[in-house]
Amino acid sequence: MEDGGSSGFPTTRWSLVQSICESDRDRKEEALNLFCGSYWRPIYGFIRGLGQSQQDAEDLTQQFFEKLVAERILEQAEKERGRLRTYLLGVLKRMM
C-alpha cells in the first residue's frame, strides 16, 4: 500500500480500483466518484507544480480524469507492478 506521504496522494485502496473495473454500473460509478474525489487535488497540484496556470491546471486535471474513464486506464493498473501514483503520473505525463 502507498502512504499519503508529502506528495498528497492518498493511500491506495485497491478494492476501490477493483470496483471501478467491475461491470456493476452503480458500484462502478460510486467507486469512480470516490477515486476522482481522492485523487483530483494531488493530480491538480502536480500539474500546478509543473508551472501551469490555475485555469490550465484545472482543465488538464479534468481531461486526465476523462481520459481515465474513456480509455478505461485504471483497468490496466496492477498492484504487483508498483505504486498507483507512479502509474497515474506516467499516464498524466504522456497525456501532457
Side-chain angles (χ1 to χ4, degrees), residues 48-79:
R48 285 285 285 161
L50 295 175
Q52 297 291 330
S53 70
Q54 178 183 353
Q55 184 62 47
D56 288 344
E58 288 174 358
D59 291 345
L60 287 166
T61 301
Q62 185 65 31
Q63 290 171 16
F64 172 75
F65 284 106
E66 288 172 358
K67 180 179 180 74
L68 282 184
V69 173
E71 297 180 18
R72 303 172 87 158
I73 289 173
L74 286 174
E75 292 181 18
Q76 299 168 33
E78 297 176 10
K79 183 178 183 178

Side-chain angles (χ1 to χ4, degrees), residues 7 9 39-65 88-89 91-96:
S7 69
F9 279 84
Y39 281 86
W40 196 93
R41 183 151 301 285
I43 294 294
Y44 168 80
F46 180 82
I47 295 170
R48 285 285 285 161
L50 295 175
Q52 297 291 330
S53 70
Q54 178 183 353
Q55 184 62 47
D56 288 344
E58 288 174 358
D59 291 345
L60 287 166
T61 301
Q62 185 65 31
Q63 290 171 16
F64 172 75
F65 284 106
L88 294 174
L89 292 175
V91 171
L92 176 62
K93 289 174 186 177
R94 286 189 299 277
M95 182 193 89
M96 293 180 67

Side-chain angles (χ1 to χ4, degrees), residues 19-33:
S19 293
I20 292 169
C21 301
E22 291 181 355
S23 59
D24 180 278
R25 185 176 181 188
D26 291 336
R27 187 171 179 183
K28 182 177 190 167
E29 187 173 324
E30 180 182 338
L32 192 56
N33 285 335

